[in-house]
Amino acid sequence: MANHKSALKRIRRNEAVRLRNRYQHKTARNAIKKLRAEEKKKDAEAMLPGVVSMIDRLAKRNIIHANKAANLKSKLAKHVAAL
């Protein structure tokens, strides 16, 4: 167990950050699934900017790798264009 105040605080903070990252990642994954399931082009086009923004935010905060973000955005854009 940690003996220093700063180490105890760091443990608390790490847990809070971990939960926040997990929540944001799961929310973005759900939004991606919802976009992929969408069958109306107009609705999908309306959802795309919001989902891309979520993906960019995850990449900026190093929750997902930048290349993974680029691949996801590319595949989603192709999917929406093909509808």
Side-chain angles (χ1 to χ4, degrees):
M1 188 61 198
N3 293 321
H4 296 280
K5 265 186 155 180
S6 60
L8 292 170
K9 181 178 179 180
R10 193 73 206 158
I11 290 167
R12 288 195 310 269
R13 192 175 181 311
N14 283 345
E15 182 63 13
V17 169
R18 184 185 74 82
L19 292 173
R20 187 180 320 124
N21 288 345
R22 199 169 122 196
Y23 172 78
Q24 290 172 348
H25 196 182
K26 186 65 174 174
T27 304
R29 284 199 311 257
N30 286 338
I32 290 167
K33 285 177 193 167
K34 192 173 175 187
L35 178 59
R36 284 193 178 129
E38 187 62 55
E39 296 189 10
K40 294 180 184 158
K41 186 176 177 99
K42 198 168 202 170
D43 292 342
E45 285 175 338
M47 287 172 66
L48 186 63
V51 175
V52 166
S53 173
M54 286 175 146
I55 293 170
D56 284 337
R57 211 172 303 128
L58 292 177
K60 183 176 85 174
R61 295 177 181 157
N62 290 320
I63 298 171
I64 63 172
H65 195 276
N67 291 353
K68 180 183 174 92
N71 288 336
L72 284 171
K73 291 190 299 184
S74 172
K75 286 178 184 172
L76 288 173
K78 279 173 69 173
H79 173 73
V80 170
L83 288 175

